[in-house]
Amino acid sequence: TKGGNLAAAKAAYTGDALKQFVADVPRLGDPARGEAVFRRSENACLKCHAIAGAGGQVGPEMTSIGASAQVDYLVDSLLTPNKQIKEGYHSLVVNTVDGKVVTGIKVRDVPGGLVLRNADDREVTVPLADLEEKPKNGPSLMPDGLADPLTRQEFLDLVRFLSELGKGAYAAAPGK
């Protein structure tokens, strides 16, 4: 949140407002415009999420997210990323003996160390001898408020794009 100069997240959609928003996605959202929103560098979606292997590895791969996730789940995941974290993407917070804090997704154990993928999509190896205490579960690496700069229409478009991934024109073709 600090790195992205994000303010406190806006209030999430709830109750009737959420139902209306979810109903508006297929009716008013445009997947082609949503793809452009997803690919804009200032939104950083591709920094952490890949589609068909292109993009980051910090967050879940999105190639077929629309075929497996409902619109309300996508909206909720974008607005409140800590509510439901996909298995394998829970972060660890590591405190080192020299006072550093390293946060990332566990990639693997190596002899004498722990390898994490940080929010910058870089692998960081922390020597076990440098651990001040056992690593603790941390929050999603996707910060709250990341979608706040989007207009309502841009957000509708983005969710519509994500909801179409893995289906129809947005299905991954073999060999691509």
Side-chain angles (χ1 to χ4, degrees), residues 32-63:
R33 288 191 315 243
E35 181 176 9
V37 171
F38 185 88
R39 294 183 180 281
R40 279 198 314 235
S41 61
E42 66 267 21
N43 292 334
C45 302
L46 275 171
K47 181 177 181 183
C48 296
H49 297 278
I51 296 176
Q57 299 176 39
V58 176
E61 218 279 348
M62 305 300 250
T63 301

Side-chain angles (χ1 to χ4, degrees), residues 33-103:
R33 288 191 315 243
E35 181 176 9
V37 171
F38 185 88
R39 294 183 180 281
R40 279 198 314 235
S41 61
E42 66 267 21
N43 292 334
C45 302
L46 275 171
K47 181 177 181 183
C48 296
H49 297 278
I51 296 176
Q57 299 176 39
V58 176
E61 218 279 348
M62 305 300 250
T63 301
S64 61
I65 191 75
S68 61
Q70 299 295 318
V71 171
D72 58 344
Y73 173 83
L74 296 171
V75 169
D76 212 22
S77 295
L78 289 166
L79 295 176
T80 54
N82 283 299
K83 188 173 180 181
Q84 297 180 53
I85 301 172
K86 185 174 179 175
E87 188 173 334
Y89 292 93
H90 290 85
S91 71
L92 291 177
V93 178
V94 178
N95 294 305
T96 65
V97 292
D98 60 356
K100 292 181 182 172
V101 178
V102 182
T103 304

Side-chain angles (χ1 to χ4, degrees), residues 15-168:
D16 290 340
L18 177 61
K19 288 178 187 171
Q20 183 61 56
F21 190 88
V22 169
D24 286 346
V25 168
R27 194 169 58 83
L28 302 173
D30 180 277
R33 288 191 315 243
E35 181 176 9
V37 171
F38 185 88
R39 294 183 180 281
R40 279 198 314 235
S41 61
E42 66 267 21
N43 292 334
C45 302
L46 275 171
K47 181 177 181 183
C48 296
H49 297 278
I51 296 176
Q57 299 176 39
V58 176
E61 218 279 348
M62 305 300 250
T63 301
S64 61
I65 191 75
S68 61
Q70 299 295 318
V71 171
D72 58 344
Y73 173 83
L74 296 171
V75 169
D76 212 22
S77 295
L78 289 166
L79 295 176
T80 54
N82 283 299
K83 188 173 180 181
Q84 297 180 53
I85 301 172
K86 185 174 179 175
E87 188 173 334
Y89 292 93
H90 290 85
S91 71
L92 291 177
V93 178
V94 178
N95 294 305
T96 65
V97 292
D98 60 356
K100 292 181 182 172
V101 178
V102 182
T103 304
I105 307 297
K106 182 177 177 181
V107 177
R108 65 185 169 280
D109 291 309
V110 294
L114 173 65
V115 180
L116 302 176
R117 181 174 309 281
N118 67 17
D120 292 325
D121 203 16
R122 287 191 219 135
E123 289 188 5
V124 178
T125 302
V126 181
L128 295 178
D130 290 353
L131 297 180
E132 183 176 63
E133 58 191 11
K134 183 179 175 185
K136 295 182 173 136
N137 290 331
S140 170
L141 292 183
M142 182 172 165
D144 287 325
L146 200 56
D148 287 354
L150 301 178
T151 66
R152 185 176 195 280
Q153 185 61 57
E154 288 171 327
F155 194 71
L156 286 169
D157 294 341
L158 175 61
V159 175
R160 177 68 187 274
F161 168 65
L162 295 174
S163 74
E164 295 294 325
L165 287 173
K167 303 186 286 191

